Amino acid sequence: MSDYVLNVNGAKLKVSALADETLLSVLRNRLDLTGTKYGCGEGECGACTVLMDGAAVHACQTLVADAVGKQITTIEGLEQNGKLTAVQQAFLDVGAFQCAYCTSGMIMRATVLLHELPNPTEAQIRTRMNGNICRCGTYPRIVQAVQQASHSMAKGGAR
Amino acid sequence: MSTLLSDPIDLALPETSNAPRCFALDRRTFFKVFGGGLLVCLTDANVLAQEAGGGFGGRQPVPTAVSAWLQIAADGKISVFTGKVEIGQNIRTSLAQLVAEELMVPFDAITMVMGDTDLVPYDAGTFGSQSTPQMGPRLRNMAATARQALLQMAAKQWSVDAASLTIADGKVTNPASKQSLTYGQLTRGEKIVTTVSSTAPLTPANVWKVAGKPIPKANGREFVTGKHKYPSDIALPGMMFGKVLRATGFNATLVSVDTSAAEKLPGVKLVRDGDFIGVVAPDAYTAEQAIAAIQAKWTIPSQPSNQNIFDYLKNTPESGRGGARPNASVQPAAAATAQSADSQAIELAQSYTVQYIAHAPLEPRAAVAQWDSTGKLTVWTGTQRPFGVKDELVAAFHLDPTKVRVLQPDMGSGYGGKHTGETAIEAARLAKAAGQPVRLVWTREEEFTWAYFRPAGLMELKASVQHDGTLISWEHHNYNSGNAGLETSYNVSHPVTAYHASRSPLRQASYRALASTANHFARESFMDELAHAVAMDPLAFRRKNLTEPRLLAVLNAAAEKFGWATSRSTPTRGFGLACGMEKGGHVATCAEVAIDPATKSVKIVRVVSAWESGAVVNPDGLQNQNMGAIIQGIGGALFEAIHFADGRILNPHFESYRLPRFSDTPQVDIVLVDRKDIPSAGAGETGLVGLAPAVGNAIFAATGARVRNMPMAPDAPIPGITSSPFTT
Ligand code: FES
Ligand code: FES
């Protein structure tokens, strides 16, 4: 066991973990930040997507040691003072989920996508989101939610 | 773990298979837990029979059984208790809409309490698309009766005739005196119990205000903020993390095991009970290391594989489960034989197959188990049958039923794949040995291997048809996959249909739409072949042989929306259609596929699905479910297949078991035919059944290649299947 300090959602969190433990395991099982999901542990489904210094990464493929010193944002860190981000609000308004188990990963991925491409085409959304699986098959609505978030951000609304 | 061949799970668990039982909570406990207020209990009134002339398969209602209850607290808060569970099909929202409608309160006033065996009445489980048709009317009945009781209470309080009062927005008003009282003020926290068994007048669907509207998911905000606790997220004080040692194959026998390295890891406790070997550790990662450090040797008997599976299923009847085999393969019915001797008739016979596929819910099986000091076991787990899991725990640990509580937090879906309690039992075993609560979450590989599968199936069909397109004989046999959707809706005298149960080498059970997908694939592909044999347009051929009005209605609606009349297939573009019925829903599906001859790829470009399941309770939820059903259907239609050999699953990962992704998603248009005059049927499954045959028929229309095996365009060749022309 080693001690690490992680910067998660703006807070410095001390945690003891094993050196080859994944960030996903640390977030979920040691810090009780369970909004980030386990779907495969193999980098194939995107359920565990978090932001590290603004880039989307698979927490299941990231070692905790490599997350030290980085700004980590999880789904729990998006809402500010009770206000949802444009992406969260759009997922809610469009109803872009069924069981919603994929939703955290989808929202994190979409957040990065819209940061890099504020006005994506439908084809770009599909390509950039393709690493995230929704087993319930809610893809058309997720695309719609990303488009809606893009519009509301363009109007200067939420972040 | 070593006896999976004789797995007892039925293919389809009937809703009424378990004897109804009394509700566990008594009146005093209830008021202690929930405070006072009006409590309305619904006994097992046969609402269905009264509403639709149907019944519960001839079973008599048991008067002592409570099937739902509802409480209006002093603060006006309304709680509805039902044994149904939310697994992504949105019933937490749609059932609340129905109650809000009948109680005449805003949607937000309702809280649904679901899937907690200590708090809700017994329920056999959430499957078979039964929540809307069965629980829906019961809850409406209960709410309507509660509304009447409130009206009576107000009338008494004001000493006026109840008929002179109005009710709206959670308030009773006396128009004469302009007085009004909220429901909470009326009940004043008194402990009033009403038992209902009659049918109060229900609000007809055509005047619904809350029901029938696209209301967003009840607790949607919890999900977009990551706050909702799924079964795999539950944490308890002092909780340990568990892992279970898995055999290297099915039906394995443990030869030797060395656990010494695992036991040396810090904080690890080994749990051993015969062939069951597990570990608990203070953290999940150490538990994983510990289980990996165990050296075990197993012997695995030789078992069937994909290579010979269809021969095996055909020739290995499951005695006692309708496994009798016809004397010879596809024997025409006596009545038809005479006809087909007629030179006017064309006779065709074909076989179709479907592979085993996995549910692959994105949240794998998970359970958190806790034993308290009185010996009571509480388990949080992801299941479609909380009471079924409770029964399994009672049996496994020889407990009094009052000593087991199962809670089902809204979970990462199931699709028919989470009916069983194995994870709950494992977690409880580990927690018992550890003397502390234990969380156990299966890995993706465990979920792919040790859960159960949608059955593989072989369908053999034979029919004869006159040159003018009139069907004159029909025969359809299904080996192993099941009898759902086996009956034909086409007009033909003396159709012969039979399901032949087989001994499955893989553990198999429910799946969304189960055998209906396989049987529709076979029947609707075969109908297409027959249409081509008599040189008729596939739509015209179906219409010629169909008089069932609801099916014709969706067929015509889909064809019109799709533009069937003007769709002309080319070698790179194909158009196909299919239709069918399942669980009281009617569906017709048209598909457009793009074929790339160079890469042998098939892409589904556009799907139109016309759909009718009676009165629509929540159009938004229904659209979403149907869309999901179609997209899920793409996997089984084109590429999903379990590869297995000698008791091992060869592709237990998303990397080798491909699921539908954004890039596979076609444009989907859903035409909802809302029949306010027909009771609502369930909708979670039907949308799936038309997709595969519509796609197969479109592939044929483009290329002239008839693909009779699902999946039709797998990424890798499937042993035993003569290579699909579209295997990439
Ligand atoms: S859990 Fe990390 S990609 Fe699936
Ligand atoms: S909503 Fe269930 S996995 Fe996406």
Side-chain angles (χ1 to χ4, degrees), chain A residues 24 37-49 58-61 131, chain B residues 362 654:
Chain A
L24 179 64
K37 301 300 182 200
Y38 168 87
C40 67
E42 296 161 351
E44 291 287 336
C45 76
C48 65
T49 306
H58 290 141
C60 74
Q61 301 296 301
Chain B
L362 203 55
F654 287 154

Side-chain angles (χ1 to χ4, degrees), chain A residues 126 140, chain B residues 557-559 561-563 573-578 587-594 603-611 623 626-634 637-638 664-671 687-696 698:
Chain A
R126 285 173 184 244
Chain B
K561 173 87 184 173
F562 187 73
R573 250 320 121 137
F575 304 93
L577 60 78
V587 67
T589 309
C590 297
E592 174 179 348
V593 300
K603 169 127 181 64
I604 305 172
V605 180
R606 183 175 170 230
V607 172
V608 172
S609 173
W611 161 267
Q623 286 266 5
N626 251 294
M627 186 80 85
I630 287 164
I631 291 168
Q632 197 163 58
I634 291 171
L638 291 185
D664 299 306
T665 308
Q667 180 194 332
V668 182
D669 293 319
I670 291 172
V671 186
L688 204 75
V689 301
L691 195 268
V695 167

